[in-house]
Amino acid sequence: MSSTTAEPTPTVAAARLSGWLGHLGVSPAAFDDTVGLFNPLLTVHRLHARVVERIQETPTAISLVLQAGPAFRGVRPGQFVMIGLSIRGVRHRRAYSPRAIPGQPGRFAITVQRQPGGLVSAHIHEEVRVGQVIEIEQAGGDFTLPAQLPDQLLLIAGGSGITPGMAMIQHLQATQARTRVTLLYFARSAQDRIFGKQLEALAKAWPQLRYVPLDSVANTNGEPGRAGSASSQAVVLDRTLLDAQLPQWAQTETYCCGPAPLMDAARLLFDQAGSRQRLHLEAFAVARPDGDPNARHAVTIARAGQTQRFDAAGNLTILVAGEQAGHAIKHGCRQGICHECTCRLNQGAVKDLATGEVIAAEGQTIRVCVTAALTDLDLESLS
């Protein structure tokens, strides 16, 4: 009787080799650099993916289909993936919501909306091409479906905030889940509605999806019309809309992703209904501080035995204020997602731009990329 031993995967073999070389003083970075000369997708410690397709979704949004190596552990619908790009010699990292490509391990798509003045989004639109290899990180985040799927879900999306919602919808449809889904999707116009045609087709083919497209900006002719029609006026998220589209919304697990005003409206409505625990939020763009630009708050950040001191105006995040003062402050996504800029608040008060909450209790944690100073601050970096 004979037995066979399964061959190790390229990733397992590479990890074993990396560990063995580590005993000889070879660093993980040096190992990845060497392996990357032959195939960058086989790196173990610093992951990479190759762009295999570019898809123009709308005039201002493109999707990149990425093929990662075997060390990438895959994505759950609603998670984010950090990507790293070198622009004019400076490495920038941003978080995007991926959609897994069924039947193709390690392959996923991200959709990038071009932002006015956005350095990274402009670079992706103008410079990133098929065949290019970019750095990625393992997927993370808790804006995901529960293990025990509910009978009904409400998804609220605005603009490019549709991306995690689309990942959830495609997953539910592909796995033949019994969950009924209502999607309220706000966009400036039909041509700005990312995945608009796909969603229309999916709603016709999958009866469990109810797709409600809504115009979020009034047209110039100002003619009244139904939500989502070519002549409609601006539609806002309010109780009247929710009651009309899903009367039991306050008892329904809800996932909302989009611009700050949409998120703020959803938060207020669920708070008023006493159902805040049902609402899950993910911001794709951070609200801008609206404080006094002439105000100056003294900020001190202690990190690794060093202290950074600078003044923060009321209309700047702490991160931006520090950078403008010439400090290199540890951060990652600049969107409040990755938590790499987390600090402990030892003294003072701030406004969290992602939640609208004022934080003043000593010992609370804050993310300086999505926080504005309200008073002088004493902070301690936790990363």
Side-chain angles (χ1 to χ4, degrees):
M1 183 175 179
S2 62
S3 62
T4 60
T5 301
E7 291 294 325
T9 65
T11 301
V12 171
R16 289 175 180 172
L17 179 58
S18 176
W20 179 74
L21 291 175
H23 292 296
L24 301 181
V26 178
S27 71
F31 173 82
D32 275 354
D33 287 343
T34 303
V35 170
L37 293 174
F38 300 97
N39 185 345
L41 301 194
L42 292 181
T43 53
V44 174
H45 308 282
R46 191 172 63 243
L47 303 182
H48 296 84
R50 180 174 285 110
V51 180
V52 297
E53 189 177 359
R54 279 175 57 107
I55 303 168
Q56 194 74 43
E57 304 285 2
T58 73
T60 59
I62 64 167
S63 290
L64 300 180
V65 180
L66 303 173
Q67 178 63 56
F72 185 66
R73 295 191 290 266
V75 301
R76 293 169 58 197
Q79 286 188 308
F80 66 86
V81 166
M82 297 286 293
I83 71 167
L85 294 166
S86 180
I87 304 175
R88 296 192 289 274
V90 179
R91 185 170 178 268
H92 299 267
R93 299 164 69 224
R94 293 292 187 273
Y96 294 100
S97 296
R99 305 181 307 284
I101 307 299
Q104 301 188 58
R107 186 163 292 196
F108 61 94
I110 62 172
T111 299
V112 182
Q113 178 85 47
R114 186 164 190 155
Q115 303 293 335
L119 177 64
V120 174
S121 66
H123 179 85
I124 290 174
H125 276 252
E126 297 170 8
E127 304 295 338
V128 175
R129 295 290 178 262
V130 171
Q132 183 171 336
V133 174
I134 62 177
E135 284 192 31
I136 64 170
E137 298 176 20
Q138 298 288 3
D142 54 10
F143 188 74
T144 56
L145 296 171
Q148 185 68 37
L149 290 173
D151 293 332
Q152 189 152 246
L153 282 175
L154 172 60
L155 304 181
I156 304 172
S160 58
I162 185 60
T163 52
M166 187 63 168
M168 293 178 181
I169 290 169
Q170 290 178 329
H171 170 78
L172 292 170
Q173 194 266 344
T175 57
Q176 300 180 343
R178 297 183 178 181
T179 303
R180 299 185 305 279
V181 181
T182 298
L183 168 63
L184 307 182
Y185 183 16
F186 295 83
R188 287 188 297 263
S189 67
Q191 75 167 359
D192 295 306
R193 196 163 284 120
I194 303 169
F195 313 131
K197 295 186 184 302
Q198 294 170 253
L199 286 165
E200 289 176 2
L202 188 57
K204 291 178 181 178
W206 189 41
Q208 286 160 247
L209 172 62
R210 183 164 177 267
Y211 170 46
V212 185
L214 301 162
D215 286 345
S216 58
V217 177
N219 294 317
T220 54
N221 58 20
E223 296 177 4
R226 294 184 305 160
S229 69
S231 61
S232 64
Q233 292 182 321
V235 179
V236 297
L237 182 66
D238 57 18
R239 182 155 194 152
T240 300
L241 174 65
L242 289 176
D243 286 344
Q245 299 299 338
L246 190 66
Q248 65 273 34
W249 60 270
Q251 290 78 48
T252 302
E253 291 297 317
T254 301
Y255 293 78
C256 178
C257 182
L262 180 67
M263 308 270 282
D264 291 343
R267 188 182 296 108
L268 178 61
L269 288 165
F270 277 79
D271 281 345
Q272 292 174 340
S275 299
R276 183 63 179 81
Q277 73 280 5
R278 299 281 189 186
L279 178 65
H280 312 272
L281 298 168
E282 182 88 311
F284 72 86
V286 180
R288 294 183 178 180
D290 57 2
D292 183 359
N294 297 313
R296 292 294 183 271
H297 305 295
V299 179
T300 299
I301 302 179
R303 179 175 182 266
Q306 297 182 339
T307 301
Q308 297 171 319
R309 293 184 175 87
F310 55 91
D311 287 342
N315 65 336
L316 298 176
T317 64
I318 297 170
L319 174 60
V320 170
E323 290 176 333
Q324 289 187 0
H327 294 284
I329 297 176
K330 183 173 174 57
H331 68 279
C333 65
R334 306 181 77 93
Q335 297 164 269
I337 296 174
C338 72
H339 295 267
E340 289 195 20
C341 64
T342 300
C343 291
R344 178 182 291 110
L345 178 64
N346 293 328
Q347 187 175 350
V350 300
K351 181 178 181 180
D352 187 319
L353 303 174
T355 65
E357 178 186 6
V358 173
I359 302 174
E362 181 179 333
Q364 293 273 50
T365 58
I366 66 170
R367 298 158 295 170
V368 298
C369 71
V370 292
T371 303
L374 298 177
T375 68
D376 293 348
L377 301 175
D378 179 8
L379 306 176
E380 179 184 349
S381 176
L382 298 179
S383 57

